[in-house]
Amino acid sequence: MRRMNAIRCHGFGGQHRFETGLNVPEPGPGEVLVRVDASGVCAADRAMWNATGPWDLSFPFTPGHEFTGTVVALGEGAGARHRLSVGDRAIAELNITYGNDFFRQRGLYHLSDSMDVLGATLNGGWAEYMIYPADAVIHKVPDSVSNRAACYTEPLANAIHGVQRAEIGFEDVIVIAGAGPIGMGMIQAARLKTPRKLILINPGKPKRDLALKLGADLAFHPEDPDLRAALNDLTDGRGADVFLEASGQGAAFLQGLDLIRKAGRMVVFGVYKDPVPFDLNILGEFKELDLRGGHLAPFTYATALDLMGRGLIDGDACVTHSYPLEEFETAIVRTPDPDEVQIKVIFEPNGTEAS
């Protein structure tokens, strides 16, 4: 029996452990065993560490829902089922859905009432090996996409879903709040929609500078008075056509309500620690806004991999820090220096990728 190392969560609030000598799982019918090449640290993972998340989960489990791996074994029928061979690099979508409920019938499988989640209800990618379940949606990684960029697929796929929800047009002035993994993905995906202007709002200047390199036309601190002036100049004082909120900060949501024009579209993709009170009259009486939520990444993993594979989105630029599993606490709690860009922090459980 082969052995492996993994990070196991035994409870919320810092109850993670680096464990050695665990059995490498054997793939059952339809299942895929992968050697994990890279696995990301998400804000949800940090919420588990800090005990600030809303989830009710069973312990212990292996976290990590952003991952990429190399196929090392296939259960009975798995090769044909998933069109995979040993040696392929592949990614599984994090949500595993079952049955034929109302939402799956309508193509909304990410909202299914019957769902498992890799890295939460099923073991995830903070390990040297993991299983992709038989019911997983699995995608091959293009040869031109590095392991580190492939690990960025999940947040990028979320970002693309948010951009799709925004229905961006050629003449739109777009504002995106937040320059984390999803915000940076939105910048690059929205640029491919060729809007008239693309503006980022983010407090840290290093991230603003990177966003300008990745496709933003303008970038502002949220308190910069030039932000309002620029929007007024671009729109004759109307305000932004589309506002995408990817920061998870209540103040950013409220600023979006202020900056968006009448009949504008607002997509909320952030995850908020606290309720955000606001005047509902802004939605109807004053602006007749189209307010939309965004959740997960239905049908966008393949798009994310394709866009990175064709060089249209730079996934490597968004993976900024890598750690071995043993240094999991440092990776989870690290805070960037003021002049440092920190976007996606990852683990490379089986060693650093060759450059």
Side-chain angles (χ1 to χ4, degrees):
M1 176 69 70
R2 289 183 294 177
R3 306 292 180 178
M4 70 175 189
N5 302 327
I7 305 302
R8 301 282 285 168
C9 178
H10 291 262
F12 294 153
Q15 298 184 58
H16 293 59
R17 301 175 193 163
F18 175 69
E19 299 185 8
T20 62
L22 301 174
N23 291 337
V24 173
E26 295 289 337
E31 295 182 340
V32 179
L33 175 68
V34 301
R35 182 187 69 244
V36 178
D37 297 318
S39 185
V41 180
C42 175
D45 297 313
R46 294 189 174 99
M48 293 178 188
W49 176 266
N50 296 321
T52 58
W55 313 285
D56 182 15
L57 299 175
S58 298
F59 304 102
F61 65 90
T62 302
H65 60 265
E66 305 168 357
F67 46 76
T68 182
T70 299
V71 177
V72 294
L74 294 162
E76 181 182 355
R81 182 185 184 102
H82 302 295
R83 298 181 182 178
L84 291 174
S85 301
V86 171
D88 286 341
R89 292 187 303 144
I91 291 170
E93 298 191 17
L94 68 89
N95 53 313
I96 315 298
T97 61
Y98 312 100
N100 194 30
D101 68 8
F102 175 93
F103 297 101
R104 291 190 87 201
Q105 289 174 8
R106 288 155 178 80
L108 301 171
Y109 68 96
H110 62 306
L111 301 176
S112 174
D113 290 324
S114 180
M115 181 188 302
D116 276 314
V117 179
L118 288 163
T121 65
L122 298 174
N123 290 328
W126 290 9
E128 292 179 320
Y129 294 87
M130 70 177 291
I131 290 287
Y132 293 172
D135 289 312
V137 180
I138 301 176
H139 306 273
K140 286 186 182 180
V141 176
D143 291 340
S144 57
V145 176
S146 70
N147 289 336
R148 291 182 178 183
C151 186
Y152 180 59
T153 300
E154 194 274 338
L156 175 58
N158 277 262
I160 292 169
H161 178 47
V163 168
Q164 289 176 336
R165 294 280 288 156
E167 297 185 40
I168 292 170
F170 297 126
E171 292 301 313
D172 286 339
V173 173
I174 313 298
V175 176
I176 296 173
I182 292 178
M184 283 297 192
M186 285 179 170
I187 287 289
Q188 297 187 76
R191 169 51 56 202
L192 297 176
K193 296 287 187 177
T194 64
R196 184 155 64 92
K197 287 293 179 184
L198 182 56
I199 300 170
L200 174 75
I201 302 176
N202 191 76
K205 185 177 185 302
K207 284 188 176 180
R208 296 201 302 269
D209 291 342
L210 179 58
L212 292 170
K213 295 178 181 177
L214 294 178
D217 297 301
L218 301 167
F220 297 96
H221 189 284
E223 298 177 2
D224 189 339
D226 289 340
L227 167 60
R228 171 77 68 176
L231 270 178
N232 287 341
D233 288 343
L234 288 167
T235 66
D236 294 326
R238 292 187 302 275
D241 300 291
V242 176
F243 190 98
L244 294 114
E245 207 305 278
S247 72
Q249 301 297 316
F253 171 78
L254 296 174
Q255 185 174 37
L257 293 178
D258 180 48
L259 295 178
I260 199 167
R261 67 165 168 82
K262 296 176 183 177
R265 293 181 302 285
M266 186 171 184
V267 178
V268 179
F269 222 101
V271 178
Y272 302 85
K273 293 181 180 179
D274 300 302
V276 182
F278 67 97
D279 184 356
L280 284 168
N281 288 314
I282 298 171
L283 300 184
E285 178 67 14
F286 299 143
K287 289 194 173 182
E288 195 178 82
L289 294 181
D290 187 349
L291 180 63
R292 304 179 181 187
H295 178 60
L296 294 181
F299 304 108
T300 53
Y301 275 72
T303 302
L305 286 164
D306 176 65
L307 292 174
M308 288 192 291
R310 290 193 282 149
L312 297 174
I313 286 181
D314 189 346
D316 288 293
C318 296
V319 177
T320 54
H321 298 81
S322 174
Y323 291 87
L325 289 176
E326 295 91 326
E327 299 178 25
F328 70 92
E329 184 170 352
T330 300
I332 294 172
V333 304
R334 89 175 310 279
T335 301
D337 296 328
D339 296 328
E340 178 187 25
V341 174
Q342 176 180 309
I343 302 174
K344 176 52 60 183
V345 177
I346 68 168
F347 297 114
E348 291 178 283
N350 287 284
T352 303
E353 180 178 50
S355 58

